[in-house]
Each structure stands twice: as C-alpha cells, then as structure tokens.
Amino acid sequence: MPNVVCVGAQWGDEGKGKIVDHLSPRADLVVRFQGGPNAGHTLVVDGETTILHLIPSGILHTRTLNLIGAGVVVDPDVLLKEIAQLAQRGVVVSRERLRISARAHVILPVHRALDQAREKARGRSAIGTTGRGIGPAYEDRVARVGIRIQDLLERDSLRERLQILLMEHNFLLKELYSVLPIEIEQVYARALEWGEQLEPLIDDVGVTIDHALRAGRSVLLEGAQGTLLDVDHGTYPYVTSSTTLAGGACAGAGIGPTRIDTVLGITKAYTTRVGGGPFPTEDDGRAGAHMGKVGQEFGATTGRKRRCGWLDLVVLRHAVRVNGITALALLKLDVLTGLPEVRVCVGYRARGRELTEFPASARELELCEPVYRSFKGWDQPLEQARAFEDLPDPARDYVSWIEDALEVPASLIGVGPERGATIERANPFDTPPRR
C-alpha cells in the first residue's frame, strides 16, 4: 500500500488535522514525526471540536494505530491530559490505539521556564514562541543532554541525568533572567510518575512502522507547523525548532526516504500567520478582517489572533520545491465567499527589482511588496459542495489557476470545517507504491 506525508505549505494552521482525520480511515498507521505541543490540530466531527497537540489526528478512528515518532518532543503532562480528555469522550487510548517512541525527547518544566524567560527578555524582538519549552528541549537533544522517553524507565541513572541538565539551565534562570530555579527533587519525582504512566505505550516506533510496511499496510505521516516555520527553510529566526518538511518525516518517524509515495501539501485558499515575522500579503483592511472572522482565525494552541492575508504563490512555489509536493489540499475556500475580489500574490518587488523565488533573508522579506493578480469573487455558499462541478465558476477558475501556476493538482478542496465538507478529486493513497 502507498504511504502519504502531509505537510503544511504555509506558516502552519493550514488545516492538517482536518485532512489527516479525513484520510485516516484509509491508513493503518498515523505517525506524528516532529514538533511538540506547540502544534494544535483541530478536528470537527458531528459539530464537536477536538483539539490535539501531541496525539496524532487519526485517534478518533478505532482501527487506526497512532504513533508519536522519535522526532517529536513530548510534554508528558500535556500528553496525559489529552489521553484523559479523550477518555471522557469515550475514546479509550490503549496500546492498540497509541504508542510513543522510546527515542522521543521529553519537555521538562525547566524547558518551559527557560523558553518563557528568554521570550520576555527579548522584549520587542520576541519571535512569538508559544512558551511551551519546545526550543529548549530540541537544544538539549542536539547538545546530547536531553531526557528521552526511555530514560524515564531507567531509575538508576535518571536522577543524575536530570541533575546535569538542570545545572546549566538553573544557572541561566537565576543569574541571567532572575527567575527561580527548578528543584531537582520535584522534577525527579514527577519524571518517575511519567515513566509509570506512559510505560504501557512506549514502543520502538521505527520497527513498528517497518513491520507494517513489510506487511503491505499503509502509513500516513502527519507533520506539525508549516514549511515557512522550518528551522532551515523558513523565515528564520521566526521559525520553530525542528524540520517541518516532508524530508523530516523519514528521520522523525524512523524510516527511509524510499518508503514515501505521496507528499500532500496542505494550504489555505488564503494565508495566515501567528506571531512575529514578515508577512508580505498581510491585509489589514476589510478582506483580512473578513478572513479572520469567517475563518475563525485564532490559534488552537495559544488562542492568539492570526494575521490574515491573500494567497502567496511565492510561498507555495517554495513549499512545492523544498517538500517535493505531489498533490495539494486547498482548504477554507468557503471563507472567501462574499468577497467581491480575490487576489493572489504572484511575485515580490524589493529594492527596484522583481522576485519570483522566496528570499532567504527575513529582513529582505520585510522589504518585499506583493505583486497581485485579481480574480472575480463569488457569493454562493460552498459548504454543501461535494464535487468540483458544484462550485461556482469563479471558485473553479481560482482553483484551476492555482493548479496551473504550481503545476500541482488540488486533490482535496476544503469547503467547511466539518469532517465531510471536503471535495475529493483524487485519493492521495491511489499513487502506486514505489517499492
């Protein structure tokens, strides 16, 4: 069976949770491969909203095994809270439904404290972090002092490892940021509890995926954040601390690149961004206000209001190239209903020259002015459309032009928040396996 990677093609919040939920019935395994509880994937099923920060979006489907890969940084308190909330709704989260990589790193209270202290100290230069400790946890992973999920089970060495980690971080908290240090005994006791509670779910995720692939089962790999938040290819330094691209799915899950058959890029029919950083197509006028209100553009993780603007083809061309996107899921097309004109950025102007490729410098991006192409808007509601032919002519023209401009088909089109409000023109799992 073919395997699909879902990645965000913008600055995150594109609707990856909705698409993963839509595709999960066809997948035997759903795998989160990077990020942490800074992600917020929203699912709307029968009018009931579920927001997941760590658990993969396939958890609402009983036959799907959900895996948290080694590339994810896990806050055990957040994970356990999500498990409890799902249990209250009648979703039993057992080993048959969810497993966590023993190699995944743990977000500790000191990571959150350091993240928040740094952001506060930056003042007006703050990068807009969620303050949930993701960056410091990834730093410790690279510095080889991090605590992994497996370490929570190794009582004889856990306290010493925590002591080494806390020594440097507490020095920074106390001496540089004037914040109270984190007590070792409190963290150690809580870490032991985490180990006991999570032990039934701990797994060698890479091996589990490999066994499934060898048995001909299908895998859906779920990314967090978006291409423009990638630590290498995003709007650095206004980025997250992990690789958000399709290539990161392999390392984060524990499989080789030849196991990937389809790369599905998720994008809104317009653009949003949370936090600081340049945003060339941001619209502070009527259109942006319309997108924010109709699209309910508030962060699922932070609750912050999202900045809204027109679709940016420079961004999407960049995303197609660095991810190798083979199909698009174009979501929230319905939000544009009622606008007399729909605009798309086709290039930038900066310092007297035109740009068609996304610049590496965030400072240069701040100087960029968008070059727009305009399309006729539409007034007809789209929520009941279930085939491409059900869309009004201007909406079809808009979608077709995007496909032609990017040379990538829009296999899925989102016309509402509900699970069923999706036009499926092609099944991403229909791609023949490469193996």
Side-chain angles (χ1 to χ4, degrees), residues 134-362:
I134 283 82
Y138 275 118
E139 289 174 31
D140 282 349
R141 183 181 79 162
V142 176
R144 294 164 293 179
V145 296
I147 304 298
R148 302 197 298 177
I149 292 290
Q150 179 63 38
D151 297 328
L152 300 177
L153 306 181
E154 298 175 359
R155 288 171 170 259
D156 55 338
S157 61
L158 178 58
R159 193 181 192 284
E160 181 182 355
R161 293 181 63 86
L162 285 169
Q163 202 157 19
I164 292 170
L165 183 149
L166 286 172
M167 180 175 62
E168 180 178 343
H169 290 336
N170 276 336
F171 178 82
L172 290 173
L173 287 174
K174 182 179 179 181
E175 303 299 332
L176 184 59
Y177 299 115
S178 300
V179 174
L180 289 175
I182 305 296
E183 297 295 333
I184 176 69
E185 295 304 332
Q186 181 182 357
V187 178
Y188 179 59
R190 191 73 186 105
L192 292 177
E193 293 175 2
W194 291 334
E196 291 177 2
Q197 292 172 289
L198 295 176
E199 185 172 11
L201 303 178
I202 297 174
D203 189 42
D204 192 331
V205 163
V207 172
T208 297
I209 298 172
D210 183 65
H211 287 170
L213 293 174
R214 290 177 183 276
R217 303 173 75 192
S218 59
V219 179
L220 180 60
L221 297 118
E222 176 184 14
Q225 290 87 44
T227 297
L228 273 295
L229 294 177
D230 181 81
V231 69
D232 293 314
H233 298 280
T235 48
Y236 192 90
Y238 303 97
V239 294
T240 192
S241 302
S242 60
T243 297
T244 63
L245 307 183
C250 300
I255 59 174
T258 56
R259 297 293 185 79
I260 305 302
D261 301 300
T262 297
V263 179
L264 183 65
I266 319 297
T267 175
K268 289 175 180 171
Y270 51 99
T271 308
T272 63
R273 179 165 196 175
V274 172
F279 183 2
T281 64
E282 185 171 11
D283 188 293
D284 295 323
R286 176 179 174 271
H290 172 97
M291 296 169 196
K293 181 179 179 180
V294 178
Q296 300 182 22
E297 296 295 353
F298 295 90
T301 298
T302 63
R304 288 182 293 184
K305 183 179 178 181
R306 296 177 185 138
R307 301 152 64 191
C308 299
W310 299 109
L311 191 68
D312 190 332
L313 264 288
V314 182
V315 165
L316 291 184
R317 282 195 296 267
H318 177 71
V320 168
R321 177 174 58 82
V322 297
N323 288 290
I325 290 172
T326 56
L328 290 174
L330 183 67
L331 305 187
K332 289 197 165 184
L333 185 64
D334 55 297
V335 172
L336 300 180
T337 297
L339 291 173
E341 178 189 46
V342 176
R343 305 172 80 188
V344 180
C345 171
V346 296
Y348 300 147
R349 285 196 187 95
R351 304 181 191 275
R353 59 192 179 96
E354 292 197 2
L355 303 176
T356 57
E357 298 296 339
F358 197 77
S361 167

